[in-house]
Amino acid sequence: MSNIMDIARSAIGAYRTALGVTGENIANVNTEGYRRRDVTTSQIGGAQTTVTTLATGGQGVQIDQIRRAFDSLLAERLRTSTADVSAAEVHLDATKAVETTLLPNTGGIDAALEDFFASMGSLASSPADTSLRRVAIEAGRTHASAFQGIAANLMRLRDATLNAAEMAAAQATTDLRDLNELQQRFTSNTGTVGALNPLHDERDRLLSSLSKQLGVAVDLDNVGRATVTLGTSGGGPLLLGEGGPANLTVPGGPDLTLNLARHGAVVARR
């Protein structure tokens, strides 16, 4: 016959753990990257009949696992969508900046063109008039100055885009290194029920941060360690694997050039 005290003790221990998990969910409701947990339980099997004992139906309850509310398919779709939105936002901002520079405005290139062609038309009707010659020359200088101003603005926009790319590459490299260091702790924490959940939360937070900088595909092993490749198709260059993280920089050498979805192109160096 089962020991009713042992059964009661197992029940108290199991549901004390479940109550603790509920408290953890409440305490971390606003914690970035935290995912809700729940507890799954199972019956402790009873004893078999022997020459000295009778069979019992069960010995109480035990904690099977503490599960995270996590769906790998939804997480992958979220990372893909985040990368697409980030890329679209940057492209939109750059396009607006170019349009602002090139669209007609007061004192812009369109006004300089009109003044230049008007002065040339006046000069064509009276080429011997020296005053019209001076007006035409000054209009030409104004026209050239307008082009120079547009070129300077476009150069500043290019430099700003490159600076943004460098910052994005640096942040992506930091996320990859942090993720690599984090995943080295996974194997040593597999023996305790629920011990990997905080590590998985931090892993997902870093992957989310990474997806804001570039499009990535993620493959998780049975422990939860992520292998990260560039691009959402899964066939791109390896960014994080057994060999460690890649180093992403702005192009400037013969290294492998990668597409940084948010800010243009970067280079991976190992």
Side-chain angles (χ1 to χ4, degrees):
M1 182 176 180
S2 300
N3 186 330
I4 194 168
M5 295 301 294
D6 291 338
I7 294 175
R9 183 169 61 248
S10 70
I12 292 173
Y15 287 96
R16 181 177 60 186
T17 300
L19 184 60
V21 170
T22 301
E24 189 77 6
N25 290 336
I26 296 172
N28 288 281
V29 66
N30 292 320
T31 300
E32 181 184 4
Y34 181 85
R35 293 186 180 272
R36 180 180 56 83
R37 277 62 147 158
D38 61 20
V39 173
T40 60
T41 60
S42 64
Q43 177 186 0
I44 300 176
Q48 296 181 345
T49 301
T50 69
V51 293
T52 58
T53 62
L54 296 176
T56 60
Q59 299 294 321
V61 67
Q62 63 183 356
I63 299 291
D64 267 353
Q65 60 178 324
I66 300 175
R67 301 180 304 184
R68 299 170 66 238
F70 176 73
D71 187 311
S72 59
L73 177 60
L74 291 179
E76 184 67 28
R77 288 181 176 176
L78 178 61
R79 285 191 292 267
T80 301
S81 299
T82 299
D84 291 342
V85 169
S86 296
E89 287 177 346
V90 170
H91 292 161
L92 178 61
D93 291 342
T95 300
K96 286 182 177 179
V98 172
E99 286 182 344
T100 301
T101 301
L102 297 179
L103 285 178
N105 57 77
T106 303
I109 190 172
D110 56 318
L113 277 171
E114 290 178 359
D115 292 343
F116 176 70
F117 286 120
S119 63
M120 292 301 294
S122 299
L123 181 61
S125 63
S126 182
D129 192 332
T130 57
S131 62
L132 292 179
R133 293 180 183 179
R134 287 193 293 270
V135 170
I137 292 173
E138 188 61 31
R141 290 173 178 170
T142 302
H143 188 201
S145 178
F147 272 105
Q148 291 172 352
I150 288 178
N153 288 337
L154 292 177
M155 290 290 287
R156 284 192 292 269
L157 177 60
R158 185 198 66 176
D159 292 340
T161 302
L162 289 176
N163 289 336
E166 290 175 351
M167 293 175 60
Q171 181 61 52
T173 299
T174 299
D175 289 339
L176 288 170
R177 289 175 179 173
D178 291 345
L179 183 58
N180 182 62
E181 294 177 2
L182 176 72
Q183 293 185 159
Q184 292 176 1
R185 298 160 51 193
F186 278 25
T187 305
S188 60
N189 286 269
T190 55
T192 304
V193 175
L196 285 176
N197 287 334
L199 301 181
H200 289 167
D201 285 346
E202 180 63 11
R203 176 204 65 195
D204 291 341
R205 188 193 68 79
L206 289 171
L207 289 173
S208 176
S209 175
L210 186 63
S211 67
K212 294 177 182 178
Q213 310 303 324
L214 67 164
V216 294
V218 178
D219 182 36
L220 303 178
D221 65 11
N222 58 346
V223 182
R225 288 174 295 221
T227 299
V228 184
T229 55
L230 184 70
T232 57
S233 64
L238 185 65
L239 298 182
L240 177 63
E242 294 182 358
N247 181 37
L248 305 181
T249 61
V250 176
D255 307 83
L256 175 65
T257 299
L258 306 179
N259 178 37
L260 181 61
R262 188 175 182 188
H263 291 292
V266 294
V267 172
R269 297 186 178 91
R270 289 197 177 274

